[in-house]
């Protein structure tokens, strides 16, 4: 990358264009464009390579349709810049313009410099109410945008497009996954270079992962109140920029590092899905800082109620992005397309997606945001996953979205935990989850792969901790244990926390292996939380959003290889049993009878009384394939029990309780189903 130490800030109006937002390096210069419908003047501020010394400050000369724009000849890729926006400071009418505050371009593709908390970052006088006005300059405490180009030569230009029924998602944190990996170069740990290193990719490939879903990598801010407590916004759900990657995950500010990582994943056959937070930003409510959107055009970029002084909050984070406004919606769509077309990501998981579907009358799954994505030829073709809830009225919408969106299925999470915890009356709910949750998703021509099944995610207990703790232990978060969920559907199996008791440890391992196998072999799309495949613990902390330390960094040195072997065997079997995973919720009728049969341990089909037997802990799903092959999936959450097999010889493909879970045996008549185990047998299918 080159920089321009002595910026020429003379505009060439003949080359200026308002149609492409942000910056565009072309014609031996750079075009700048920023949308602010209510601004009276927009100043472009140029900085030297250090990002600390301003070299020019000039007003953008042209505006049309609220887009302020100008072309500066002579500027190069690598130029640092920011904006100052002039207009009324009238908080009671939603306007919070303050030209004393340097503002980040919402379209900045790269950032240089850190956000350093200082009272000058606030548009009002800290300690007073938000109607006051602060005239201190914030530039030295702000990161600067960097002009980027697109000259990266990709090794692979075509998308992977892994079929949903073949997809296995691995939810991970760039830093947490790599900080303690012994095979990763020390200097690279915590960065994209480490994320895409050979040892990490080899692990994911052997496990059977086809897509890595990354917690937010968009540039985000660490809340000052967390820093003051010695904590940080570790997860990253506090977006500062929707285009620029987070600097903490780069060895420099150069976004080439992200492209190189994505290229390496693609070469290994692994898709990259981004967890994106378009529902709110890090500027918070009216008492938050003025970093970008608030100072550019607060009343446009954020939702407000009748009282325009206060922003409308359905996210629990202080503000809600106003995607109902066409230019804000355009910004989000431009961001999504940028990450697909320029950065080559394969899909997105939308945080608090219900917020994005809110129209004037509340949640509307056919609303503007999702309709825009569905008709877009670029975005509709990638993987789209909704977190189908927010904290607003009517925000819980599991099953409420439309194709091609998939959804996180917390009902599957809760029922799988409860079944293996040996709760009463869980056989019928488990049959629903094994079938892809048809009650939630079998409508409007949606496939069974609409359900993303998981038993643990970043938010909550790790899978191991569901077997090691009855209660959350969040004291390290500094909120006196008030934060985090109370309903964890967990069971410590006899001792709260760590133990040397071999019986308890064996019970925990069996339950973890059984739950992972259940996720792997259910209809829908399996998702595994990074570290769950080897017994990662967070010591009972179920809200580790602020813990950037050993508590959340994966402990590779103590990885349990028996757990990895079991998870690997279950995922391999999922891919091996070609027709076992379908898109029809198992409802297809075959010419020689039902495709699905539910069996009691006595070998007969489940009766109505069986489904309502609260104490029943063992049952099986038998799948008759179109080619004549049978698959028998036995789940035993109870004690060791005999299971009467259908006629003929059966090949055992999986036993999660065994030291060698994939060892093949031939059995007939009856089989002993070990306690807390999943068994898979086949007949006439793959050996």
């Amino acid at each position: 990358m080159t920089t321009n130490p002595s910026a020429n800030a003379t505009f060439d109006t003949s080359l200026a264009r308002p149609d492409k937002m942000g910056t565009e390096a072309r014609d031996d210069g750079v075009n700048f464009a920023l949308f602010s419908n209510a601004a009276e003047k927009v100043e472009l501020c140029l900085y030297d390579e250090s990002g600390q010394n301003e070299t020019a400050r000039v007003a953008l000369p042209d505006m049309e349709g609220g887009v302020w724009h100008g072309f500066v000849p002579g500027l190069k890729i690598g130029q640092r810049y920011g904006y100052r926006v002039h207009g009324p400071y009238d908080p009671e009418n939603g306007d919070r313009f303050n030209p004393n505050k340097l503002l980040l371009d919402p379209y900045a593709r790269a950032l240089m410099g850190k956000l350093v908390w200082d009272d000058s970052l606030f548009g009002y006088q800290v300690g007073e109410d938000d109607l006051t006005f602060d005239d201190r300059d914030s530039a030295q405490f702000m990161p600067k945008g960097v002009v980027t180009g697109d000259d990266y030569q990709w090794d692979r230009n075509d998308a992977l497009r892994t079929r949903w029924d073949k997809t296995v998602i691995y939810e991970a944190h760039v830093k947490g996954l790599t900080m303690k990996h012994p095979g990763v170069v020390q200097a690279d740990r915590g960065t994209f270079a480490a994320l895409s290193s050979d040892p990490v990719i080899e692990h994911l490939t052997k496990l059977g992962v086809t897509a890595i879903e990354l917690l937010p990598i968009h540039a985000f801010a660490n809340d000052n109140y967390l820093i003051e407590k010695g904590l940080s916004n570790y997860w990253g759900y506090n977006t500062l920029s929707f285009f620029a990657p987070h600097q903490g995950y780069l060895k420099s500010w150069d976004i080439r590092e992200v492209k190189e990582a994505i290229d390496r994943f693609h070469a290994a056959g692994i898709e990259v899905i981004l967890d994106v937070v378009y529902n709110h930003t890090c500027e918070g409510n009216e008492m938050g800082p003025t970093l970008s959107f608030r100072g550019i055009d607060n009343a446009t970029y954020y939702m407000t109620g009748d009282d325009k002084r206060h922003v409308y909050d359905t996210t629990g984070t202080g503000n809600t992005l106003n995607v109902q406004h066409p230019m804000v919606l355009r910004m989000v769509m431009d961001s999504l397309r940028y990450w697909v077309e320029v950065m080559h990501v394969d899909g997105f998981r939308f945080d608090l997606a219900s917020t994005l579907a809110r129209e004037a009358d509340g949640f509307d799954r056919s609303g503007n945001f999702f309709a825009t994505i569905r008709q877009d030829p670029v975005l509709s073709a990638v993987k789209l996953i909704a977190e189908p809830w927010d904290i607003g009225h009517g925000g819980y919408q599991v099953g409420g979205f439309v194709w091609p969106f998939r959804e996180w299925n917390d009902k599957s999470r809760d029922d799988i935990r409860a079944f293996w915890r040996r709760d009463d009356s869980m056989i019928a709910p488990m049959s629903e989850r094994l079938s892809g949750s048809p009650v939630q998703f079998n409508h409007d021509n949606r496939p069974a792969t609409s359900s993303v099944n998981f038993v643990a995610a970043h938010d909550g207990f790790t899978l191991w901790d569901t077997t090691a703790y009855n209660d959350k232990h969040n004291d390290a978060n500094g909120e006196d244990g008030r934060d985090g969920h109370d309903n964890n559907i967990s069971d410590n199996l006899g001792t709260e926390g760590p133990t040397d008791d071999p019986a308890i440890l064996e019970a925990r391992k069996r339950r973890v292996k059984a739950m992972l196998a259940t996720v792997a072999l259910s209809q829908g799309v399996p998702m595994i939380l990074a570290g769950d495949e080897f017994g990662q613990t967070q010591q009972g902390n179920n809200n580790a959003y602020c813990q950037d330390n050993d508590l959340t960094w994966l402990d590779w040195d103590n990885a349990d290889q028996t757990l990895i072997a079991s998870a690997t065997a279950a995922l391999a079997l999922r891919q091996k049993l070609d027709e076992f995973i379908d898109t029809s919720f198992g409802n297809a009728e075959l010419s020689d009878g039902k495709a699905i049969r539910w069996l009691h341990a006595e070998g007969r089909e489940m009766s109505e009384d069986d489904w309502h037997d609260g104490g029943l802990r063992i049952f099986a799903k038998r799948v008759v394939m179109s080619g004549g092959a049978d698959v028998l999936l036995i789940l035993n959450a109870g004690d060791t029990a005999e299971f009467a097999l259908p006629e003929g010889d059966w090949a055992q493909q999986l036993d999660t309780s065994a030291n060698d879970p994939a060892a093949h045996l031939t059995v007939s008549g009856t089989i002993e189903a070990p306690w807390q185990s999943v068994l898979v047998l086949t007949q006439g299918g793959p050996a």
Side-chain angles (χ1 to χ4, degrees):
M1 292 290 184
T2 59
T3 60
N4 184 39
S6 57
N8 175 9
T10 302
F11 290 103
D12 184 341
T13 56
S14 70
L15 292 173
R17 291 172 51 179
D19 55 307
K20 187 169 183 179
M21 305 301 297
T23 62
E24 181 184 20
R26 57 172 172 80
D27 299 320
D28 296 320
V30 176
N31 192 79
F32 296 85
L34 178 77
F35 176 77
S36 178
N37 198 51
E40 296 169 353
K41 182 172 73 170
V42 174
E43 289 181 305
L44 170 66
C45 301
L46 302 178
Y47 289 84
D48 66 6
E49 188 173 355
S50 71
Q52 289 300 310
N53 302 308
E54 186 178 282
T55 59
R57 185 186 303 188
V58 286
L60 292 177
D62 297 311
M63 189 277 284
E64 56 181 84
V67 178
W68 300 79
H69 58 286
F71 182 90
V72 183
L75 297 188
K76 305 294 184 182
I77 292 171
Q79 175 66 55
R80 280 72 157 154
Y81 73 102
Y83 290 111
R84 296 179 187 272
V85 181
H86 298 252
Y89 189 80
D90 185 7
E92 292 183 321
N93 285 308
D95 293 323
R96 295 181 179 272
F97 296 99
N98 188 335
N100 299 292
K101 311 305 169 186
L102 187 76
L103 305 175
L104 188 66
D105 178 6
Y107 279 76
R109 269 68 166 179
L111 303 185
M112 188 268 178
K114 293 183 178 180
L115 178 67
V116 179
W117 286 105
D118 184 82
D119 287 352
S120 65
L121 294 171
F122 295 78
Y124 64 93
Q125 296 173 23
V126 175
E128 305 293 333
D129 68 34
D130 62 297
L131 299 179
T132 60
F133 184 82
D134 187 272
D135 60 4
R136 286 173 291 182
D137 195 314
S138 65
Q140 64 176 308
F141 305 104
M142 280 291 295
K144 311 304 186 292
V146 183
V147 177
T148 63
D150 187 24
D151 59 351
Y152 182 79
Q153 297 299 310
W154 293 89
D155 288 336
R156 179 182 177 125
N157 280 312
D158 55 320
L160 295 180
R161 298 284 192 268
T162 304
R163 283 169 32 187
W164 275 111
D165 59 346
K166 291 294 185 181
T167 295
V168 176
I169 298 172
Y170 188 84
E171 191 198 26
H173 187 282
V174 173
K175 190 173 185 180
L177 184 64
T178 63
M179 279 300 290
K180 298 177 69 176
H181 198 300
V184 173
V185 176
Q186 184 80 34
D188 289 347
R189 293 182 184 181
T191 70
F192 277 97
L195 182 74
S196 59
S197 63
D198 288 343
V200 173
I201 288 179
E202 287 169 7
H203 173 76
L204 298 182
T205 302
K206 289 177 181 178
L207 183 61
V209 169
T210 71
I212 185 167
E213 181 178 305
L214 298 175
L215 268 69
I217 68 164
H218 287 169
F220 60 86
N222 277 322
D223 295 290
N224 194 36
Y225 81 93
L226 290 175
I227 294 174
E228 290 175 345
K229 293 195 295 184
L231 303 171
S232 69
N233 198 306
Y234 173 66
W235 285 347
Y237 292 92
N238 205 27
T239 308
L240 175 64
S241 171
F242 295 118
F243 289 81
H246 187 61
Q247 280 188 274
Y249 301 153
L250 305 175
K251 293 193 290 183
S252 68
W253 59 264
D254 196 339
I255 63 175
R256 182 183 296 270
E257 296 177 37
V258 183
K259 295 179 180 181
E260 290 171 348
I262 294 170
D263 222 2
R264 286 181 56 80
F265 277 115
H266 286 176
I270 298 173
E271 294 181 301
V272 178
I273 299 171
L274 301 186
D275 194 335
V276 288
V277 191
Y278 293 110
N279 54 76
H280 75 279
T281 78
C282 66
E283 290 184 305
N285 62 22
E286 63 275 2
M287 303 306 291
T290 297
L291 309 174
S292 182
F293 307 99
R294 172 162 290 131
I296 294 171
D297 195 342
N298 180 73
T300 291
Y301 284 96
Y302 295 123
M303 291 180 65
T304 60
D306 294 334
D307 178 4
K308 295 186 181 300
R309 177 182 173 185
H310 304 285
V311 291
Y312 183 58
D313 181 16
T314 62
T315 65
T317 56
N319 63 50
T320 303
L321 205 65
N322 183 22
V323 294
Q324 295 180 38
H325 190 284
M327 291 302 288
V328 181
L329 178 62
R330 175 184 168 178
M331 178 193 67
V332 174
M333 295 302 144
D334 285 347
S335 168
L336 291 168
R337 279 188 292 268
Y338 171 77
W339 284 98
V340 173
E341 295 182 309
V342 178
M343 303 299 285
H344 286 206
V345 304
D346 303 279
F348 305 96
R349 179 263 191 190
F350 293 88
D351 180 63
L352 301 181
S354 295
T355 291
L356 300 171
R358 287 190 177 276
E359 300 286 318
D361 297 326
F363 177 86
D364 181 0
R365 66 184 185 143
S366 301
N368 198 29
F369 182 85
F370 291 108
T372 302
I373 291 179
R374 292 180 72 200
Q375 62 77 44
D376 188 291
V378 173
L379 300 180
S380 62
V382 301
K383 286 185 165 62
L384 303 169
I385 303 170
E387 182 186 33
W389 50 75
D390 65 17
I391 68 166
H393 177 70
Y396 184 79
Q397 291 291 334
V398 173
F401 288 77
V402 289
W403 184 90
F405 279 85
R406 273 60 181 176
E407 301 176 34
W408 273 24
N409 186 356
D410 65 333
K411 292 183 180 297
S412 178
R413 175 199 66 195
D414 293 351
D415 286 348
I416 292 172
R417 289 188 184 187
F419 174 79
W420 290 106
R421 193 174 66 171
R422 301 188 177 190
D423 287 10
D424 287 344
S425 304
M426 289 307 302
I427 296 291
M430 271 303 298
S431 70
E432 281 279 312
R433 307 311 161 207
L434 291 173
S435 302
S437 300
V439 170
Q440 282 71 41
F441 298 105
N442 191 11
H443 59 81
D444 297 314
N445 298 316
R446 300 187 75 186
T449 52
S450 297
S451 175
V452 175
N453 303 316
F454 63 101
V455 73
H458 69 273
D459 186 4
F461 275 157
T462 66
L463 179 53
W464 182 264
D465 284 356
T466 67
T467 70
Y469 295 91
N470 286 345
D471 304 302
K472 64 184 181 184
H473 296 265
N474 295 357
D475 290 345
N477 296 352
E479 299 181 43
D480 297 324
R482 294 186 300 271
D483 64 306
H485 302 293
D486 291 316
N487 181 31
N488 294 292
I489 315 179
S490 61
D491 174 18
N492 66 23
L493 291 165
T495 297
E496 187 77 353
T499 181
D500 293 326
D501 188 316
I504 294 177
L505 288 173
E506 174 64 16
R508 288 177 179 176
K509 289 182 182 181
R510 286 205 181 199
R511 187 167 291 180
V512 165
K513 290 188 285 187
M515 287 194 280
L516 280 176
T518 305
V519 170
L521 297 169
S522 294
Q523 301 298 319
V525 181
M527 184 183 81
I528 299 171
L529 174 64
D532 278 354
E533 75 274 21
F534 60 65
Q536 177 73 11
T537 178
Q538 290 177 174
Q539 300 173 25
N541 191 318
N542 73 351
N543 189 34
Y545 76 101
C546 56
Q547 300 294 330
D548 184 3
N549 49 48
D550 283 343
L551 188 70
T552 53
W553 300 343
L554 266 58
D555 187 4
W556 293 93
D557 285 338
N558 289 308
D560 189 316
Q561 297 301 318
T562 65
L563 298 183
I564 293 175
S566 184
T568 300
L571 290 172
L573 187 58
R574 175 188 176 89
Q575 304 291 21
K576 180 180 176 182
L577 300 176
D578 236 359
E579 296 178 42
F580 179 73
I581 303 299
D582 60 35
T583 59
S584 64
F585 301 94
N587 293 329
E589 293 290 328
L590 300 179
S591 58
D592 59 345
K594 291 188 298 185
I596 303 295
R597 294 182 177 88
W598 299 97
L599 303 183
H600 190 276
E602 295 175 356
R604 54 180 171 80
E605 291 199 34
M606 293 279 287
S607 68
E608 191 65 28
D609 288 342
D610 294 331
W611 289 115
H612 295 287
D613 181 351
L616 192 60
R617 301 282 186 265
I618 181 172
F619 75 120
K621 177 183 181 181
R622 182 181 183 185
V623 182
V624 181
M625 307 290 204
S626 59
D630 274 15
V631 176
L632 188 65
L633 171 63
I634 302 172
L635 282 75
N636 182 17
D639 297 329
T640 299
E642 294 292 316
F643 196 100
L645 298 174
E647 248 181 72
D649 291 338
W650 290 82
Q652 181 177 297
Q653 306 279 351
L654 180 72
D655 177 359
T656 59
S657 71
N659 291 330
D660 182 0
H664 288 190
L665 303 170
T666 300
V667 293
S668 60
T670 62
I671 189 172
E672 185 177 86
W675 57 277
Q676 294 271 289
S677 67
V678 174
L679 299 177
V680 178
L681 302 95
T682 60
Q683 189 178 74

